[in-house]
Amino acid sequence: MGKLSTHVLDITVGKPGVGVKVALYAVTAQGRELLKTDVTNADGRCAVPLLEGDTMKPGKYELVFGAGAYFAAQGVDLPEPRFIDEVTLAFGIASADQNYHVPLVVSPWAYSTYRGS
């Protein structure tokens, strides 16, 4: 079986995003269902996979990162409303047998992601 993992990189300082709130949702025809919340550790990662084993299923998902709150906690001078606040990454899992790593590379002004393994 595969697994789903994530991490956050704060590109304003070139270091892991520590203490970023992460929420994982399943997206179905009925709407979004919250599956899990976590907070990134000292390496900018969630300590355990977000999905694995029986919970790793094909489908549509969203990861929501509390980037704005993270940068505010770092003392970054942010406008109100924040330009980047909650970052939502919508993605699909086609095979439960593969690993999906969905990282967030973020600053207060931009973000990027990619599919890792």
Side-chain angles (χ1 to χ4, degrees), residues 67-85 107-109:
Y70 162 77
F71 284 112
Q74 302 307 304
V76 177
D77 185 23
L78 300 170
E80 189 57 46
R82 300 169 181 151
F83 182 70
I84 301 289
D85 193 20
S107 82
W109 312 110

Side-chain angles (χ1 to χ4, degrees), residues 25-106:
Y25 294 87
V27 180
T28 67
Q30 292 74 39
R32 292 186 342 167
E33 175 188 354
L34 179 63
L35 299 178
K36 188 173 197 176
T37 60
D38 205 343
V39 176
T40 58
N41 62 20
D43 197 31
R45 299 175 184 275
C46 294
V48 298
L50 296 168
L51 296 174
E52 65 181 333
D54 293 341
T55 64
M56 182 70 172
K57 298 176 182 170
K60 294 182 179 181
Y61 295 88
E62 290 181 359
L63 279 170
V64 180
F65 298 86
Y70 162 77
F71 284 112
Q74 302 307 304
V76 177
D77 185 23
L78 300 170
E80 189 57 46
R82 300 169 181 151
F83 182 70
I84 301 289
D85 193 20
E86 287 191 336
V87 175
T88 301
L89 302 179
F91 62 97
I93 292 177
S95 172
D97 295 330
Q98 295 182 15
N99 292 335
Y100 288 77
H101 184 68
V102 184
L104 177 68
V105 180
V106 66

